[in-house]
Amino acid sequence: MTYCAGILVQDGLVMIADTRTNAGLDDISTFRKLHVFSWPGERHFVLMTAGNLSITQSVVSCLNEGMPNPETGEIETLQNASSMFRAAQLVGRSIRHVRDIDGPALEEARVKFDVSMLFGGQIKGQPMRLFMVYDAGNFIECGIDSPFLQIGEHKYGKPILDRAVTFKTHLYDALKVGLISMDSTMRSNLGVGLPIDLVVIRRDADVIELSHRIEAGEPYFHDLRERWSAALRAAHMAIPRPPYAPAEG
Amino acid sequence: MTYCAGILVQDGLVMIADTRTNAGLDDISTFRKLHVFSWPGERHFVLMTAGNLSITQSVVSCLNEGMPNPETGEIETLQNASSMFRAAQLVGRSIRHVRDIDGPALEEARVKFDVSMLFGGQIKGQPMRLFMVYDAGNFIECGIDSPFLQIGEHKYGKPILDRAVTFKTHLYDALKVGLISMDSTMRSNLGVGLPIDLVVIRRDADVIELSHRIEAGEPYFHDLRERWSAALRAAHMAIPRPPYAPAEG
């Protein structure tokens, strides 16, 4: 499994991904699912991937090599895409390209062409944007009302994002809540696990502000998990028992 | 959608179910998914159902009418089943019976035979047990290590159960945590909604201790939702921001 969350707030973008992959419960590995494409002073993109690893890695390779623009025939890359929208289209086109090549054989082997991606970033002078790209290469954009998108095993970690993140949330509070969301997911699904890759990009900044990997045993994340557990325990213990109980309840 | 949770602790059994059904987003109704079968002083069962309503209602009708025992040919009912295990088999056999009758036509109409059930209770002098019955009529039993089972839209409400419920949890704390789990689910999936039906059966009791419906606007549940929201907000605000932030973060 995989869990990735992208949060787009007033001050910037937070991207968080786990690194666990599994081909069956007895075949678990660590693979990077968060990919950074950065040209300091010009443009930064982060791509996070969920689904079949052979497909997602091929898509990343296509993006690195560039894809011909269907109108002009020229090779389009993330470096020369004229807007975030065009860059997201390029991601979608790369997915379709891999499907054209590998799809029929995968179908024959009854392997589902199953992939989804979060793609966010900013081109200098243009708005910062965050997209979720589906396996058909189409995509939706993150809005202000629900300023986050998730892929992979998204349900366990959604309630805290629903409650705690708004567009006005401080950039590093968004990171913190994203890590709580990751923690909830890791506790309920062993297929999601450490290390965790994270990137923070401040809006209109020339460079990527933070690119970090949380390894097992890191003190801050360990402390966050402990505090969150303790706080939840205190929270539900502080709520009175239901009054439906009979007198001796 | 549906969300049902059954919690089996030292002191007894808690069963909680929502009542919302939808055939598309524009066709939402309230149907009872929690069914009580009780013979005071003798035996009590609770059945909660998720999936296609025509199937689950037919299964309940089969249980009410009884099913022939495949070995003896005699009509077996929940009232005369000799053990909880035999009663759970009867639920499974009722599902298979409905599949035999309706399955081919449903398949032709491309409607998935999709159903799951939680079945719990106690026969006097025997252990209290809780089962999850699948659409093939097979079932698993709730154990002491993870003393709860869920059906339907189960992921949003699982983290709090994972953290807060053990076999030693007080019966009405189990009910309270079950309601928090229901609240988390209702917030993240509009297909799960009020009213909520709940039943509490104390171990070895002659009568069902509590059978209650929570309607919209009920003060206790409203207060629980408010308190839980406030506590979660306080909890994540009390956790320090990640130290990965640069000095000005």
Side-chain angles (χ1 to χ4, degrees):
Chain A
M1 276 310 289
T2 289
Y3 177 50
C4 304
I7 308 173
L8 181 63
V9 293
Q10 197 163 22
D11 293 331
L13 177 67
V14 172
M15 301 286 264
I16 305 175
D18 87 310
T19 54
R20 190 162 292 176
T21 64
N22 59 296
L25 274 176
D26 56 347
D27 187 2
I28 289 179
S29 312
T30 297
F31 278 93
R32 198 167 174 87
K33 304 168 192 172
L34 182 155
H35 305 272
V36 176
F37 305 84
S38 177
W39 292 268
E42 279 182 43
R43 53 182 64 201
H44 325 286
F45 308 109
V46 177
L47 181 73
M48 300 194 294
T49 62
N52 186 301
L53 193 66
S54 74
I55 302 171
T56 58
Q57 288 187 341
S58 295
V59 170
V60 171
S61 294
C62 287
L63 286 171
N64 281 322
E65 296 195 354
M67 295 280 299
N69 181 313
E71 289 150 28
T72 63
E74 281 170 27
I75 295 297
E76 199 169 12
T77 65
L78 289 176
Q79 193 174 6
N80 67 22
S82 59
S83 67
M84 275 302 296
F85 177 69
R86 294 303 294 255
Q89 283 185 317
L90 185 63
V91 174
R93 215 153 67 234
S94 300
I95 294 175
R96 289 178 191 143
H97 180 67
V98 173
R99 185 200 281 269
D100 287 344
I101 294 171
D102 293 338
L106 287 174
E107 202 170 312
E108 217 167 290
R110 298 199 177 189
V111 176
K112 220 178 145 217
F113 192 92
D114 182 18
V115 59
S116 57
M117 306 199 174
L118 294 182
F119 177 70
Q122 188 173 23
I123 295 171
K124 198 178 174 77
Q126 298 186 23
M128 179 170 255
R129 298 171 80 172
L130 171 63
F131 299 94
M132 171 153 49
V133 190
Y134 298 100
D135 53 13
N138 58 326
F139 50 85
I140 61 169
E141 181 171 4
C142 184
I144 283 179
D145 295 318
S146 301
F148 62 87
L149 292 172
Q150 306 165 284
I151 53 173
E153 178 63 279
H154 64 284
K155 290 191 178 183
Y156 298 121
K158 184 163 181 280
I160 182 63
L161 292 173
D162 277 335
R163 288 174 196 267
V165 176
T166 71
F167 188 66
K168 302 261 182 196
T169 298
H170 185 284
L171 189 55
Y172 284 85
D173 283 340
L175 173 59
K176 181 177 73 179
V177 173
L179 292 176
I180 295 172
S181 172
M182 181 63 78
D183 171 47
S184 296
T185 309
M186 285 166 50
R187 272 181 201 267
S188 289
N189 187 333
L190 292 182
V192 176
L194 289 166
I196 297 167
D197 289 319
L198 60 91
V199 165
V200 174
I201 307 178
R202 194 169 289 275
R203 207 177 278 268
D204 301 325
D206 279 336
V207 293
I208 286 180
E209 183 162 305
L210 175 66
S211 178
H212 181 73
R213 169 164 283 196
I214 298 176
E215 301 278 359
E218 197 202 71
Y220 173 75
F221 189 62
H222 179 80
D223 181 61
L224 174 141
R225 302 188 83 177
E226 293 289 311
R227 282 174 187 255
W228 183 244
S229 275
L232 286 192
R233 209 158 37 239
H236 73 75
M237 286 172 71
I239 295 176
R241 283 182 188 151
Y244 326 126
E248 73 279 14
Chain B
M1 273 313 287
T2 289
Y3 176 51
C4 305
I7 308 174
L8 182 64
V9 292
Q10 198 164 24
D11 293 333
L13 178 68
V14 171
M15 301 284 266
I16 306 174
D18 87 311
T19 55
R20 190 162 293 176
T21 65
N22 58 296
L25 274 176
D26 57 347
D27 187 0
I28 290 179
S29 312
T30 297
F31 278 92
R32 197 167 174 87
K33 302 168 195 172
L34 183 155
H35 307 271
V36 176
F37 305 84
S38 177
W39 292 269
E42 281 182 42
R43 53 180 65 199
H44 325 287
F45 307 110
V46 178
L47 182 73
M48 303 194 292
T49 61
N52 186 300
L53 193 64
S54 74
I55 301 170
T56 59
Q57 289 187 341
S58 295
V59 170
V60 172
S61 295
C62 288
L63 287 171
N64 280 323
E65 297 193 354
M67 294 281 298
N69 180 313
E71 288 150 28
T72 64
E74 279 171 28
I75 295 296
E76 199 170 11
T77 64
L78 290 176
Q79 194 175 4
N80 66 23
S82 60
S83 67
M84 275 302 296
F85 177 68
R86 296 302 294 255
Q89 284 185 316
L90 185 63
V91 174
R93 216 152 68 233
S94 300
I95 294 175
R96 289 177 191 146
H97 180 67
V98 174
R99 185 201 282 268
D100 287 344
I101 294 172
D102 293 338
L106 287 173
E107 201 170 312
E108 215 167 290
R110 298 198 178 190
V111 176
K112 222 180 143 215
F113 191 92
D114 183 18
V115 59
S116 57
M117 306 199 173
L118 294 181
F119 178 69
Q122 188 174 24
I123 296 172
K124 197 179 176 75
Q126 297 185 24
M128 180 171 254
R129 298 172 80 173
L130 171 62
F131 299 95
M132 170 150 52
V133 190
Y134 298 100
D135 52 14
N138 58 327
F139 48 86
I140 61 168
E141 181 170 5
C142 183
I144 283 180
D145 294 319
S146 301
F148 62 87
L149 292 171
Q150 306 166 284
I151 53 173
E153 178 64 280
H154 63 283
K155 291 192 177 181
Y156 299 122
K158 184 163 181 281
I160 181 64
L161 293 173
D162 277 334
R163 287 172 197 268
V165 176
T166 72
F167 189 66
K168 303 262 182 195
T169 299
H170 184 284
L171 190 54
Y172 284 85
D173 283 339
L175 174 59
K176 183 177 73 181
V177 173
L179 292 176
I180 294 172
S181 172
M182 181 62 78
D183 171 47
S184 296
T185 310
M186 285 165 52
R187 275 182 199 266
S188 289
N189 186 333
L190 292 181
V192 176
L194 289 166
I196 297 167
D197 289 319
L198 60 93
V199 165
V200 174
I201 307 178
R202 194 169 289 275
R203 206 177 279 265
D204 301 324
D206 280 337
V207 295
I208 286 180
E209 183 162 305
L210 175 66
S211 178
H212 181 72
R213 170 165 283 195
I214 298 175
E215 302 277 0
E218 198 202 69
Y220 173 75
F221 190 62
H222 180 80
D223 180 59
L224 174 142
R225 304 188 82 177
E226 294 290 311
R227 281 174 187 255
W228 183 245
S229 275
L232 286 191
R233 207 158 39 240
H236 73 74
M237 285 172 70
I239 295 176
R241 282 180 189 151
Y244 326 126
E248 75 279 13

